[in-house]
Amino acid sequence: MERLDLSGTATSSSDGNISNVTLKGTGTVNSDCTGTLTVGVYGSGALVRTATFSIVYVNNAREGRAIVTSLVLASGATVPAVLTANAKKLFHELPSER
């Protein structure tokens, strides 16, 4: 099992409100290309919610398909969620590593 850290930004829509958020999280990748991601979603520096995903990596780990298995608000309340995600790696390395 390989562990990873992730960070990024996203545009989020929740209850009709659109905002720019920061993402920080951790994940695991198993030898069968499945894994989990736990992502904290932050607005203006404060934790808004935490999402846990089950993920499978495909196309030689250039793409991923995920589904939310848990969504918890900063207050600790669990929220029912139906969310899937598709991701595609566009670059082999970070621009700072080129």
Side-chain angles (χ1 to χ4, degrees):
M1 179 174 10
E2 181 179 341
R3 298 198 183 281
L4 54 96
D5 293 320
L6 62 96
S7 63
T9 59
T11 301
S12 176
S13 175
S14 181
D15 198 26
N17 299 310
I18 297 174
S19 61
N20 294 316
V21 296
T22 301
L23 309 173
K24 297 178 186 174
T26 60
T28 60
V29 181
N30 301 313
S31 60
D32 64 356
C33 296
T34 62
T36 59
L37 298 173
T38 301
V39 181
V41 179
Y42 296 81
S44 300
L47 180 65
V48 177
R49 61 189 166 275
T50 302
T52 303
F53 296 82
S54 286
I55 189 165
V56 61
Y57 296 94
V58 296
N59 192 13
N60 212 17
R62 290 184 183 96
E63 298 179 48
R65 313 270 191 273
I67 187 167
V68 171
T69 57
S70 171
L71 183 62
V72 180
L73 301 180
S75 67
T78 301
V79 179
V82 177
L83 176 71
T84 60
N86 293 304
K88 183 179 278 191
K89 185 176 184 179
L90 299 177
F91 301 101
H92 292 289
E93 55 196 23
L94 296 173
S96 62
E97 296 173 337
R98 293 185 189 152

